[in-house]
């Protein structure tokens, strides 16, 4: 039995490429993010004891998906800073001021992908350059593919959702205020969240 169990080191090695899922391959094409059914939000700790949640109501972007080879996929997103909404007008006004985003001088927050990879199953990681104000730094976002469907208007849609954490000070957002009891008013750590619905362009629909 040892003869049959011994590894033949002289035997040629072959690499079998994984089969492409036809359902994923069919998703290949260019998609436009649908802002009416997508959200880009954030969560930040306030006064050390609670969370403030907000979102940006105006954004646009494109996804170029390669279902056969996810590494070839790309993403581009532009977010209008002045559209920030936390539910409190005074707070929103402070966020768009020079203390934070300085929206008048820097009206857009942008993301341009530089790499995409499949982590396993329906989970993907997109890495790219996030620009806020005049600072550009790398950012990785883990996204879960929620599926695809044809809506009632005949549009082919795909959905992704995910999140990542950043330190706002890395992008020059350093305003803060000390609390009498210790700590600061606004945490440095911010959670960004993405819930994306995108429509396949007519030129690339089957």
């Amino acid at each position: 039995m040892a003869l049959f169990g011994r590894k033949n080191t002289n035997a040629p090695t072959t690499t079998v490429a994984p089969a492409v899922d036809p359902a994923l391959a069919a998703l290949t094409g260019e998609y436009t993010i649908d802002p009416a059914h997508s959200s880009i939000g954030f969560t930040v700790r306030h006064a050390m004891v609670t969370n403030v949640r907000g979102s940006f109501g105006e954004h646009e972007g494109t996804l170029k998906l390669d279902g056969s080879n996810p590494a070839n996929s790309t993403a581009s997103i532009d977010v209008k800073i002045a559209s920030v909404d936390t539910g409190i007008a005074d707070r929103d006004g402070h966020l768009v001021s020079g203390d934070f985003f300085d929206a008048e001088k820097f009206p857009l927050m942008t993301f341009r992908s530089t790499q995409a990879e499949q982590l396993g199953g329906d989970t993907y990681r997109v890495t790219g350059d996030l620009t806020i104000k005049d600072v550009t730094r790398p950012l990785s976002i883990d996204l879960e593919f929620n599926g695809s469907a044809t809506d009632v208007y005949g549009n082919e849609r795909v959905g992704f959702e995910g999140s990542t954490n950043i330190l706002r000070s890395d992008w020059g957002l350093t305003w803060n205020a000390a609390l009498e009891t210790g700590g600061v008013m606004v945490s440095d750590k911010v959670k960004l969240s993405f819930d994306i619905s995108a429509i396949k362009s007519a030129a690339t629909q089957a």
Side-chain angles (χ1 to χ4, degrees):
M1 294 295 295
L3 177 64
F4 296 100
R6 187 179 301 152
K7 181 179 180 180
N8 183 358
T9 57
N10 296 320
T13 58
T14 58
T15 301
V16 178
V20 175
D21 184 342
L24 289 178
L27 298 179
T28 297
E30 184 168 332
Y31 293 75
T32 300
I33 293 176
D34 177 7
H37 298 93
S38 302
S39 64
I40 297 176
F42 59 89
T43 304
V44 61
R45 183 75 72 177
H46 177 262
M48 309 294 290
V49 297
T50 190
N51 289 319
V52 168
R53 293 175 174 83
S55 62
F56 296 93
E58 296 182 39
H59 50 82
E60 60 183 20
T62 57
L63 308 176
K64 293 183 179 179
L65 304 182
D66 188 332
S68 300
N69 186 0
N72 290 333
S73 300
T74 63
S76 174
I77 301 175
D78 293 339
V79 178
K80 187 175 181 180
I81 294 297
S83 69
V84 66
D85 181 8
T86 64
I88 303 294
D90 287 346
R91 181 164 57 207
D92 296 343
H94 191 198
L95 287 174
V96 301
S97 74
D99 283 345
F100 283 95
F101 288 109
D102 197 356
E104 185 173 349
K105 186 175 181 181
F106 305 101
L108 294 178
M109 172 172 60
T110 65
F111 178 79
R112 301 290 184 266
S113 69
T114 56
Q115 181 182 1
E117 57 184 316
Q118 185 173 14
L119 300 181
D122 290 334
T123 303
Y124 298 83
R125 176 169 294 158
V126 178
T127 300
D129 294 325
L130 176 67
T131 300
I132 302 175
K133 299 176 77 171
D134 56 351
V135 179
T136 299
R137 294 180 60 88
L139 178 71
S140 292
I141 308 167
D142 288 353
L143 297 167
E144 182 178 353
F145 173 55
N146 286 339
S148 61
T150 301
D151 65 22
V152 295
Y153 302 104
N155 298 312
E156 294 183 33
R157 290 180 178 268
V158 293
F160 295 89
E161 64 176 319
S163 63
T164 191
N165 294 316
I166 67 170
L167 297 179
R168 61 187 178 90
S169 59
D170 287 344
W171 280 267
L173 303 176
T174 57
W175 183 92
N176 228 321
L179 302 175
E180 292 183 2
T181 54
V184 292
M185 180 69 74
V186 185
S187 69
D188 191 19
K189 180 180 177 181
V190 180
K191 180 180 180 180
L192 302 178
S193 57
F194 306 85
D195 197 343
I196 302 297
S197 177
I199 299 172
K200 196 172 189 179
S201 67
T204 58
Q205 291 196 33

